[in-house]
């Protein structure tokens, strides 16, 4: 069932009021891929009455009053994407389309949606129940953070939204515990995985440089972010506090990761895998096309690319569902009337991280002095694609499934580092699970740029491409690699893009098309470099392209047609 979105739908399930109302910047898509739906169904499964208000208009009370007032709390999310990223390109041009809005026109999501929705609730519900922020926008903006769109350091979103609590990270366990705590009247100040505002700091917590310091001193901002990043693992993290005006932002240590049985329970809940009928009358929601018949296998990523926020939001330790849970979901998909036999993706943030982890990390937490994959694959990781191979082979045996694609993208360095099963995995992907193309993300070719990105050198990519070509020929398949590349990352100049163009032509034999301009989203090391123009690891200055015309020129160096305009002075 869909979570109720109107009074009439509440009456249908026998409710006169709700315990929790979830407000989101997306259309309401009831899918395990969508945070609001997943958390909502977890709360519902625990016995809480949960309603959803999706994309409420912010200029009247018509939408926000639709379900009345909740008995326990409001949960506010900007949606599946930070609203500023959703609304603006890397060149700060307004996006005309939105894949998470019915009809595709970007007319529903306000800028800084979390703040806008919290203010909307306060405007029409005086002295209401607690407002709890969650989702990726709140999670990545929970402390002082660089905001690319205003080009300044902003304070915690919790202060600007004037909310009571913020749930950070994936939030499934924290949101459920929060609901129990509020219902029982228990103090929330020690609940893992939340932030709140206090008059005084907590003496047992690490005190970060204040907001005022980070807003005026770039070295203080670097120190703050490095301490923040070092305290994101549930097994090793300390609590943090940061003075923001006369008060303190308190960040409790992270919640523990869900266990495999808990993940199996979460993803085994009842989902409609569709947009709510209210939205469908305005047109299709494009995001559904790729997630409706796809299966999430795991959470987290230990790739730790410096431009990516997954490590901060989802964590650096992989948690995976059991094979039985995934097979059960695949069988369920075959029962849908419009299922055509094609599962469009089986994966996670990185498809081939499923099924293995570093034993040391699981016991002691993430290393503070090195990364799992950079500069080289850590020998302690003990990479083994065998469990994933077994899953894919079992999935192929299920009746009425014609194709199972792996569309999430894979780490080719993991394939190469697996001396036992790596070639077997790649061979089976080529034979059975590539839809004509396989996604990889080298991002660049130049060593100094790759180092700032936290990405491996190109030797591995060249070897991987060779193996892919040989296996593709042996399988008599007409398939190719799709390369994701980036322009205007800190450290990248126009001449580096020319080198990338030559590398792509000479070694990859392509004219690149999947090119993005770096966007300095909140809470990444690359955004830290962009703002401070400093390598936070070495302390050395870094060139940063901040001129929009020059950023676009960097991209055009790689983009057909091959005649490029003169460089903008």
């Amino acid at each position: 069932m869909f979570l109720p979105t109107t009074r009439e739908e509440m009456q249908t399930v026998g409710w006169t009021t709700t315990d929790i109302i979830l407000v989101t910047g997306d259309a309401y898509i009831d899918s395990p891929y969508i945070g609001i739906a997943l958390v909502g169904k977890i709360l519902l499964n625990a016995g809480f009455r949960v309603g959803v208000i999706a994309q409420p208009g912010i200029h009247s009370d018509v939408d926000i009053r639709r379900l009345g007032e909740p008995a326990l709390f409001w949960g506010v999310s900007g949606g599946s994407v930070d609203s500023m990223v959703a609304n603006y390109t890397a060149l700060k041009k307004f996006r005309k389309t939105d894949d998470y809005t019915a009809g595709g026109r970007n007319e529903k999501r306000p800028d800084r949606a979390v703040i806008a929705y919290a203010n909307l609730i306060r405007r029409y519900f005086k002295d209401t129940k607690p407002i709890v922020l969650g989702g990726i926008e709140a999670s990545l903006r929970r402390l002082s953070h660089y905001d690319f769109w205003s080009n300044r350091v902003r304070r915690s979103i919790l202060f600007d939204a004037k909310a009571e609590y913020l749930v950070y990270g994936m939030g499934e366990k924290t949101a459920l515990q929060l609901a129990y705590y509020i219902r029982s009247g228990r103090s929330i100040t020690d609940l893992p995985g939340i932030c709140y505002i206090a008059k005084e700091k907590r003496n047992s917590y690490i005190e970060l440089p204040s907001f005022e310091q980070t807003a005026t001193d770039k070295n203080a901002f670097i120190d703050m972010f490095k301490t923040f990043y070092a305290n994101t693992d549930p097994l090793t993290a300390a609590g943090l506090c940061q003075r923001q005006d006369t008060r303190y932002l308190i960040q409790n240590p992270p919640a523990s990761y869900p266990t495999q049985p808990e993940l199996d329970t979460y993803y085994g809940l009842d989902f409609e895998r569709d947009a709510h009928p209210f939205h469908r009358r305005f047109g299709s929601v494009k995001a559904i096309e790729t997630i409706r018949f796809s299966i999430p296998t795991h959470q987290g990523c230990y790739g730790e690319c410096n431009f990516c926020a997954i490590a901060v939001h989802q964590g650096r330790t992989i948690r995976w569902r059991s094979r039985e849970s995934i097979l059960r979901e695949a069988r369920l998909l075959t029962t849908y009337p419009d299922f055509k036999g094609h599962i469009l993706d089986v994966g996670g943030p990185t498809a081939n991280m499923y099924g293995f982890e570093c034993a040391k990390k699981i016991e002691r937490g993430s290393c503070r002095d090195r990364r799992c994959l950079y500069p080289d694959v850590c020998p302690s990781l003990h990479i083994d694609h065998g469990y994933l191979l077994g899953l894919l082979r079992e999935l192929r045996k299920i009746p009425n499934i014609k194709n199972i694609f792996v569309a999430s993208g894979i780490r080719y360095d993991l394939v190469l580092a697996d001396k036992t099963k790596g070639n077997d995995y790649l061979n089976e992907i080529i034979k059975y699970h590539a839809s004509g193309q396989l996604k990889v993300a080298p991002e660049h070719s130049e060593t100094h740029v790759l180092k700032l990105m936290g990405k491996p050198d190109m030797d591995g990519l060249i070897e991987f491409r060779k193996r892919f070509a040989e296996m593709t020929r042996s399988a008599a398949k007409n398939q190719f690699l799709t390369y994701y590349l980036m322009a205007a990352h800190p450290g990248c100049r126009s001449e580096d893009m020319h080198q990338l163009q030559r590398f792509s032509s000479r070694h990859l034999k392509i004219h690149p098309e999947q090119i993005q301009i770096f966007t300095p989203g909140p809470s990444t090391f690359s955004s830290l470099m962009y703002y401070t123009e400093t390598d936070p690891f070495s302390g050395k200055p870094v060139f940063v392209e901040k001129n929009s015309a020059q950023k676009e020129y960097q991209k055009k160096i790689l983009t057909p047609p091959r005649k490029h305009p003169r460089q903008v002075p």
Side-chain angles (χ1 to χ4, degrees):
M1 62 170 260
F2 286 103
L3 297 170
T5 65
T6 64
R7 293 272 190 174
E8 292 74 20
E9 290 170 19
M10 287 169 55
Q11 293 170 1
T12 300
V13 295
W15 301 350
T16 57
T17 187
T18 60
D19 295 313
I20 300 153
I21 295 176
L22 302 178
V23 182
T24 175
D26 297 336
Y28 172 28
I29 304 170
D30 196 56
S31 163
Y33 279 93
I34 304 298
I36 281 288
L38 183 62
V39 169
K41 288 297 177 69
I42 291 169
L43 290 165
L44 181 70
N45 187 59
F48 294 97
R49 297 166 297 176
V50 185
V52 172
I53 299 176
Q55 298 183 321
I58 62 172
H59 300 297
S60 77
D61 64 347
V62 172
D63 293 321
I64 203 65
R65 285 188 180 276
R66 192 186 307 148
L67 298 177
E69 188 174 17
L72 298 180
F73 68 87
W74 300 85
V76 175
S77 167
S80 300
V81 182
D82 183 283
S83 61
M84 298 304 287
V85 176
N87 286 350
Y88 298 93
T89 70
L91 301 178
K92 298 185 181 180
K93 296 178 181 178
F94 187 76
R95 297 185 193 273
K96 296 179 181 179
T97 60
D98 184 347
D99 289 352
Y100 292 91
T101 294
R105 295 181 57 138
N106 191 12
E107 299 175 336
K108 296 288 188 178
R109 193 191 313 269
D111 291 352
R112 310 195 188 283
V114 168
I115 298 171
Y117 294 150
N119 289 341
L120 180 68
I121 294 167
R122 292 278 185 222
R123 189 184 316 148
Y124 294 109
F125 293 92
K126 307 298 182 184
D127 301 318
T128 188
K129 303 299 180 180
I131 296 175
V132 181
L133 313 182
I136 194 164
E137 182 169 343
S139 183
L140 300 184
R141 296 175 180 269
R142 59 189 186 263
L143 293 171
S144 295
H145 58 280
Y146 172 66
D147 180 73
F148 169 60
W149 297 270
S150 60
N151 192 32
R152 64 183 177 90
V153 174
R154 292 179 65 101
R155 62 181 181 169
S156 167
I157 197 171
L158 192 59
F159 282 73
D160 285 339
K162 300 180 176 62
E164 279 76 18
Y165 306 107
L166 184 154
V167 171
Y168 69 88
M170 295 297 280
E172 308 104 330
K173 296 181 75 168
T174 305
L176 184 57
Q177 287 299 111
L178 180 69
Y180 284 131
Y181 278 32
I182 292 177
R183 186 170 67 182
S184 66
R186 182 175 172 181
S187 172
I188 298 166
T189 56
D190 290 324
L191 178 63
I194 70 160
C195 298
Y196 62 94
I197 298 170
K199 293 181 179 179
E200 298 180 350
K201 62 185 177 182
R202 295 186 67 158
N203 292 328
S204 60
Y205 284 16
I206 297 172
E207 183 173 2
L208 301 171
S210 70
F211 161 66
E212 288 76 13
Q213 287 177 288
T214 59
T216 57
D217 183 343
K218 291 183 178 180
N219 288 325
F221 188 73
I222 291 172
D223 291 342
M224 182 218 77
F225 186 82
K226 290 171 74 173
T227 303
F228 161 71
Y229 191 88
N231 287 278
T232 54
D233 189 292
L235 293 179
T236 60
L240 305 175
C241 57
Q242 183 181 43
R243 185 167 58 82
Q244 301 260 329
D245 43 36
T246 59
R247 299 167 294 168
Y248 285 86
L249 185 284
I250 308 294
Q251 175 181 298
N252 286 348
S256 60
Y257 293 131
T259 63
Q260 188 173 88
E262 286 173 331
L263 280 181
D264 288 352
T265 297
Y266 298 162
Y267 289 100
L269 296 172
D270 173 45
F271 294 95
E272 294 291 330
R273 299 178 182 273
D274 203 351
H276 190 278
F278 173 85
H279 301 289
R280 291 204 301 269
R281 60 182 174 157
F282 298 108
S284 62
V285 181
K286 189 174 181 180
I288 295 173
E289 297 174 8
T290 53
I291 64 175
R292 187 172 192 200
F293 295 122
S294 294
I295 301 176
T297 58
H298 61 282
Q299 297 178 354
C301 181
Y302 44 71
E304 292 190 77
C305 300
N306 287 332
F307 50 81
C308 180
I310 291 175
V312 169
H313 184 62
Q314 290 199 19
R316 290 171 278 174
T317 300
I318 304 299
R319 298 86 69 193
W320 60 88
R321 298 167 61 186
S322 70
R323 185 180 296 181
E324 293 72 22
S325 170
I326 294 169
L327 293 172
R328 187 162 51 247
E329 183 171 350
R331 295 188 192 99
L332 175 65
L333 295 183
T334 67
T335 66
Y336 282 68
D338 53 348
F339 180 69
K340 306 299 182 184
H342 309 293
I343 294 179
L344 300 184
D345 188 27
V346 175
T350 300
N352 61 324
M353 289 184 183
Y354 174 83
F356 60 90
E357 246 298 357
C358 171
K360 293 180 182 178
K361 193 202 299 184
I362 292 174
E363 183 180 348
R364 305 174 201 166
S366 302
C367 296
R368 296 201 176 210
D369 59 348
R370 72 154 296 149
R371 296 185 176 188
C372 295
L373 302 185
Y374 182 82
D376 301 298
V377 177
C378 178
S380 297
L381 191 55
H382 299 302
I383 300 163
D384 183 0
H385 288 85
Y387 192 58
L388 178 53
L389 272 170
L391 169 65
L392 293 173
R393 288 166 181 168
E394 288 295 315
L395 285 168
R396 293 203 301 268
K397 295 178 184 178
I398 296 176
N400 300 318
I401 293 180
K402 300 175 183 177
N403 299 109
I404 301 162
F405 299 118
V406 175
S408 299
I410 67 172
R411 286 286 301 224
Y412 53 83
D413 48 354
L414 286 176
V415 175
L416 297 177
D418 186 352
K419 306 302 182 184
T420 304
K421 298 290 185 180
N423 279 342
D424 292 342
Y425 172 75
L426 180 57
N427 197 40
E428 292 214 15
I429 292 292
I430 289 169
K431 285 184 176 180
Y432 304 111
H433 304 293
S435 58
Q437 59 182 323
L438 184 65
K439 298 175 184 176
V440 293
E443 304 297 353
H444 216 284
S445 62
E446 301 310 285
T447 300
H448 67 280
V449 179
L450 291 168
K451 182 179 180 181
L452 293 170
M453 290 178 166
K455 299 287 288 187
D457 278 336
M458 289 298 96
D459 291 346
L461 177 63
I462 293 170
E463 172 60 25
F464 180 81
R465 182 183 179 279
K466 177 183 174 183
R467 293 190 194 183
F468 179 86
E470 291 172 351
M471 292 180 186
T472 298
R473 283 194 297 269
S474 297
K477 294 279 189 176
N478 182 25
Q479 297 183 149
F480 57 92
L481 293 171
T482 296
Y483 305 91
Y484 286 92
L485 303 171
M486 187 180 294
H489 186 275
C492 180
R493 299 176 185 267
S494 296
E495 50 263 38
D496 298 313
M497 297 304 291
H498 281 293
Q499 287 292 102
L500 176 55
Q501 190 278 324
R502 284 189 281 271
F503 175 88
S504 300
S505 178
R506 184 179 304 125
H507 294 286
L508 305 182
K509 312 297 182 185
I510 61 165
H511 297 304
E513 295 182 359
Q514 300 291 340
I515 308 149
Q516 62 176 328
I517 297 173
F518 169 67
T519 300
S523 294
T524 69
F525 272 110
S526 294
S527 297
L528 181 65
M529 296 176 204
Y530 184 92
Y531 169 59
T532 64
E533 300 180 37
T534 302
D535 178 351
F537 307 107
S538 69
K540 296 180 180 179
V542 171
F543 168 78
V544 177
E545 185 56 80
K546 295 189 175 182
N547 179 281
S548 293
Q550 290 284 6
K551 290 180 184 181
E552 191 166 21
Y553 173 73
Q554 283 200 21
K555 180 178 179 179
K556 285 182 177 179
I557 291 171
L558 288 185
T559 308
R562 307 313 299 166
K563 289 184 178 180
H564 306 301
R566 291 183 180 179
Q567 185 168 352
V568 179

